[in-house]
Amino acid sequence: MTPNLLLAAIMLINFMLVASSRVSKCIQLAALQGGLLAMVLLLMHDHWPFHVLLMAFSTAAIKGVVIPAMLNRAQDRMKPQREPEPYVGYTLTLVMAAAGTGMAFILARRLPLQPGNLGTLFVPASIMALFTGFLLLTTRKRALLQVVGYLVLENGVYLFSLLLVKQMPLLVETGVLLDLVVGIFVMGIVINHIQTAFDSQDTHRLAHLKD
């Protein structure tokens, strides 16, 4: 199995994320994407020294297990409610994701990459993940879906950092994972306050706040 095959699967998951309206399914897809990122890291190395195994395990544990479990727990605590319509329709969001993927491939061909990274899907997959995360953050009303969007956006940053993993292995990956944990922690606090104040995750209700 080559990294490109897994990167193609990660790009396919991005399309499934923007086309799905179910929070639980989006959490499952984000968890699967986190697990694939750990496998990509392993496939980039011919040998697996301790620090590579440690970072792959940390990536799979945090992105594929811990954070999705926290999101599922938050989802279970919410009262069943009708899914609010997104700011932008699912079909149009899917078309925007497809257009963003095309632009990612064009941009990847113009970037000065190291010879070993030419012809790989690292840059297109990372840019597409960034764009997918941005779409989920800006077009969805449910706070949990926006957290999933932040998680996918960070997956794009993580993929891009893998291009430098052989030069600065621990520095890059540790920094990205710490940034992710802090971001999810802050967004968890925000979701809790939204749920407490409005008894709902619909961030659209924040527009009705008055001074």
Side-chain angles (χ1 to χ4, degrees):
M1 183 180 294
T2 64
N4 273 347
L5 185 60
L6 295 181
L7 292 170
I10 289 173
M11 297 174 74
L12 178 62
I13 288 175
N14 288 332
F15 281 112
M16 296 171 69
L17 279 167
V18 296
S20 177
S21 62
R22 295 174 53 198
V23 177
S24 57
K25 182 178 180 181
C26 288
I27 294 173
Q28 291 173 1
L29 290 171
L32 176 60
Q33 195 173 64
L36 292 178
L37 288 176
M39 294 179 64
V40 170
L41 176 61
L42 291 176
L43 290 178
M44 291 180 66
H45 296 79
D46 297 327
H47 305 286
W48 296 341
F50 177 73
H51 73 275
V52 172
L53 291 175
L54 177 62
M55 293 311 302
F57 175 78
S58 301
T59 301
I62 295 175
K63 292 175 175 290
V65 178
V66 176
I67 293 176
M70 292 170 59
L71 295 178
N72 278 322
R73 184 178 179 185
Q75 172 68 6
D76 292 340
R77 293 175 58 186
M78 303 296 174
K79 295 179 180 177
Q81 52 189 272
R82 182 176 175 273
E83 192 72 26
E85 288 296 321
Y87 293 109
V88 180
Y90 297 106
T91 303
L92 181 56
T93 308
L94 194 58
V95 171
M96 293 169 67
T101 302
M103 293 297 295
F105 275 99
I106 294 174
L107 183 60
R109 298 181 62 179
R110 296 178 180 276
L111 291 179
L113 301 176
Q114 294 183 346
N117 295 322
L118 293 174
T120 68
L121 293 176
F122 275 99
V123 175
S126 61
I127 295 176
M128 183 186 178
L130 287 169
F131 188 61
T132 300
F134 175 77
L135 285 176
L136 292 175
L137 276 169
T138 56
T139 63
R140 300 296 190 260
K141 292 180 180 177
R142 289 288 296 273
L144 275 179
L145 281 176
Q146 294 179 353
V147 175
V148 171
Y150 176 78
L151 182 59
V152 174
L153 189 148
E154 198 280 333
N155 286 345
V157 176
Y158 183 89
L159 265 180
F160 213 90
S161 72
L162 289 183
L163 295 175
L164 301 173
V165 71
K166 292 185 178 178
Q167 287 77 20
M168 298 179 290
L170 285 177
L171 179 64
V172 172
E173 296 171 10
T174 304
V176 171
L177 288 177
L178 286 176
D179 177 65
L180 172 64
V181 172
V182 172
I184 294 294
F185 180 73
V186 172
M187 296 191 78
I189 294 174
V190 172
I191 290 174
N192 185 54
H193 282 288
I194 292 174
Q195 177 70 21
T196 302
F198 299 102
D199 197 27
S200 171
Q201 295 179 49
D202 188 351
T203 57
H204 183 66
R205 298 191 179 188
L206 294 176
H208 301 298
L209 289 176
K210 304 292 184 181
D211 292 333

